[in-house]
Amino acid sequence: MSVAVLGVLAVAPGALAQADWRPKPEPQTWQQLRVQYLPEPEWQFMDSIRNARVEAAEYIRTPRAVGDTMELEAGLLLKTTGRDGWTSKVVPMRALCSDGRLERRSSDGTWSSYPSRPDTAVKVRWMCSLR
């Protein structure tokens, strides 16, 4: 599974207009899947999508301030059309607070830009407020 798959989630209506965006409570259905596929503690539900091609949910955990960034772990639950089972992935990421964007860390420790969505800046702002 490609890490770029984490960018599949759609923009929630009105999210761009909400400068004070915060994650909604985790739906029970996602909670049950998270416990099964991302069993480690402290996951914060961020967003989800369900359509004809994909079902996915994004989570974060262990945010910590490092300079002008917030480093964290991003978790993804994913099921695509034609697949019977769920997959999960955990990716080290950071929110660049001054730029309003995200980066992911590769296995060799280097940081690279993460595909942005229209609501990325408001979500980065929220992550950076966790300082």
Side-chain angles (χ1 to χ4, degrees):
M1 169 175 51
S2 168
V3 174
V5 172
L6 286 172
V8 301
L9 299 182
V11 177
L16 294 177
Q18 296 179 10
D20 63 343
W21 180 91
R22 4 184 134 269
K24 293 183 176 156
E26 180 181 29
Q28 183 68 29
T29 305
W30 287 117
Q31 182 182 26
Q32 292 169 349
L33 287 166
R34 176 185 47 79
V35 167
Q36 184 177 355
Y37 292 98
L38 294 171
E40 302 86 1
E42 301 177 13
W43 287 109
Q44 166 68 54
F45 177 77
M46 292 293 289
D47 208 349
S48 67
I49 185 173
R50 283 192 167 125
N51 62 37
R53 295 184 341 253
V54 68
E55 292 181 70
E58 288 178 322
Y59 294 85
I60 67 167
R61 74 173 181 177
T62 62
R64 59 202 167 279
V66 178
D68 190 31
T69 69
M70 288 296 284
E71 292 188 6
L72 52 98
E73 291 181 302
L76 174 72
L77 298 177
L78 178 71
K79 183 177 179 185
T80 56
T81 301
R83 293 191 70 167
D84 291 330
W86 288 89
T87 57
S88 64
K89 180 127 182 142
V90 177
V91 179
M93 296 187 74
R94 68 181 176 185
L96 301 174
C97 300
S98 61
D99 294 343
R101 63 185 182 88
L102 295 169
E103 290 184 330
R104 66 179 173 212
R105 190 171 58 215
S106 66
S107 59
D108 69 4
T110 60
W111 292 99
S112 61
S113 290
Y114 185 75
S116 183
R117 297 189 310 254
D119 63 348
T120 297
V122 295
K123 290 180 178 177
V124 167
R125 189 174 316 131
W126 178 82
M127 288 178 215
C128 292
S129 75
L130 300 175
R131 292 178 176 265

